[in-house]
Each structure stands twice: as structure tokens, then as C-alpha cells.
Amino acid sequence: MSKIGLFYGSDEGNTESVALRIRTRLGEDRVDLFDVADVTQLEIANYQNLIFGIPTWDFGQIQSDWEEFWEDVREIDFSGKTVALFGLGDQFGYGDYFLDAMGMLHDVIVEQGATIVGLWSTEGYEFEASKAEIAGEGKFMGLAIDEDQQEELTAERLNRWCQQIAEEFAIDGGAGSVTELDD
Ligand SMILES: Cc1cc2nc3c(=O)[nH]c(=O)nc-3n(C[C@H](O)[C@H](O)[C@H](O)COP(=O)(O)O)c2cc1C
């Protein structure tokens, strides 16, 4: 199958490090990695299967590089594209805005025709409000990672989510092709 394009933005390196850990699990030969600070619309347009990683900053705001790229994202035709999202946030420090940016990115690309995979249960997280929560379904719009409060759970969450999206993207070998790590 064709390669997955993984695009992330990161102010302080957490989202970048999670992006690298996802790539290692799915296989370096299967995933091309991009920092959104350095890309154009064309690079996203090249991929049918995409993973987007975005942290939330400053009380519910989009990470700065994603923000600069936002108008370009709004112009991309996502019809026929499948996208898995992961978001980073701090559920205790910013529990009224937990992962809001992932929810905002979700809404924009769905409006442009994207099919979303990689939905994730809200069980095991404590927060007041999140734009990334699907109301009434007990699910986030993508993988929720909290390196500030639940760092010790990240490796296992990544193992399970990568197996889930390997199935949903129909990667050869499915969940069995994912390398489980304790990193
Ligand atoms: C000043 C500040 C504001 C933040 N605002 C939010 C927020 O509104 N919602 C949230 O879920 N996390 C918030 N966070 C937590 C970050 O999203 C989290 O630390 C994340 O791992 C940073 O990712 P990065 O290193 O890739 O930039 C905030 C952190 C700081 C220091």
C-alpha cells in the first residue's frame, strides 16, 4: 500500500517525539514524517492516508506552526483521504480546554471531506471540557496523549492506537505488523 504522510507541529518537542514513536511502531518504510513548519499544501495532497499531530497551547489555541498553516489546510480537498489524528494536552493544567486544537483541526478537515479513523475512548482521562470529544459517545476524535500528567501511559496507548489505525488504514499485516514498544 502507499505510504502514510505523518504531519505534526510542536512547540516544545513533545508532539515531535510522539510522532517519531508512532513512526517507529508503524515502520519507518511505511511513514513519511513532516514538521508542518516546513511544508506546503502539495505535500499533504500527495497522500491518501494521513496522520496529523497537534498540541493545544494557551487556553485552547492551535499550536503556532499549525496556526500559520491553517488557511492552507482550509483549502485542501480531503475527499478520498483518510486521516488519523493525535493530540497532546495537559488534562489537569488545562482541563477546560483539553486537546481543543485536535477538535478544531478535526472540524476543518471533515468539512473538507476527510474520513476520520483512530477514534479513542475518553476512559482513563479527567477533564472538564474538550472540543476534541464527540458529544455523548465517550470518544475523542483521535488519540489523546498527555505527556505532562500521564507520561507513563503513553507507550501502551501508542501501541494500541497504532494497531487500531494499522487495521483502519488496511496496512499490510494489519495490527500484527505493528512493533510494540516500551519506550
Ligand atoms: C502555557 C501553556 C498553555 C497550555 N494550554 C493548553 C490547553 O489549553 N489545553 C491543553 O490540553 N494543553 C495545554 N497545554 C499543554 C501542552 O499542550 C502540552 O504540554 C504538550 O505536550 C505540548 O506539546 P509540544 O511540546 O509538542 O508543543 C499548555 C501548556 C502550556 C505550557
Side-chain angles (χ1 to χ4, degrees), residues 9-16 55-61 63 88-91 93-95 97-100 145-148:
S10 187
D11 272 19
E12 293 197 340
N14 288 338
T15 309
E16 179 174 40
T56 302
W57 276 93
D58 297 329
F59 306 97
Q61 302 301 305
Q63 187 269 339
L88 274 80
D90 174 348
Q91 62 198 288
Y94 302 90
Y97 311 89
F98 186 45
L99 307 171
D100 274 4
I145 293 293
D146 188 338
E147 288 289 83
D148 297 288

